[in-house]
Amino acid sequence: ASTSTKGEYKIQNVKNKKYLAQTNGILNLAGISPYSGLAFTVNAAEAPTSNEAIATSEVAVIAGEGQVTIAGAQGKKVVISNILGQVVANTVITSDNAVIAAPAGVVVVAVEGEEAVKAIVK
């Protein structure tokens, strides 16, 4: 883009030096004179909105052999159910990295305040 003296800008094709122009509402490339180009100005805008209020989850569910490890859920209630919906564990996590015994197969782990996830215990 090149600049004119009025604080306006014009877009120029580097290869053929022609300027972006507008004729009857259609954009095209016009002569090499900057006076034939379509002028535009750049206005300052507000800064983007911050993400400070967005909450992200740091809870991780890791299936192991005969157990499920739950990280980042200290103080939250956890319910582990088998695929038939039978509750196999119901507890409040007291550490940041808790290991809970679970039967082999598919289990559903529901951590308070999070979406339930499936895990395959070996």
Side-chain angles (χ1 to χ4, degrees):
S2 61
T3 310
S4 70
T5 57
K6 301 177 195 171
E8 296 177 335
Y9 293 91
K10 297 185 181 202
I11 298 175
Q12 183 181 30
N13 184 314
V14 177
K15 188 173 183 179
N16 64 17
K17 304 295 183 199
K18 291 187 176 184
Y19 286 85
L20 181 66
Q22 182 179 8
T23 306
N24 295 328
I26 299 172
L27 294 176
N28 57 62
L29 291 175
I32 59 174
S33 166
Y35 301 108
S36 64
L38 178 64
F40 64 95
T41 58
V42 178
N43 297 323
E46 289 184 30
T49 305
S50 71
N51 291 337
E52 291 175 11
I54 295 176
T56 58
S57 173
E58 297 295 327
V59 175
V61 176
I62 305 155
E65 292 201 24
Q67 66 186 22
V68 175
T69 303
I70 302 170
Q74 185 173 3
K76 294 186 178 184
K77 181 180 178 183
V78 175
V79 177
I80 299 177
S81 306
N82 63 16
I83 199 67
L84 300 174
Q86 299 167 326
V87 176
V88 294
N90 185 355
T91 185
V92 174
I93 303 294
T94 57
S95 71
D96 192 39
N97 197 13
V99 177
I100 301 173
V106 177
V107 294
V108 178
V109 181
V111 179
E112 177 185 2
E114 306 288 328
E115 286 196 31
V117 295
K118 293 178 185 173
I120 299 174
V121 178
K122 295 181 180 185

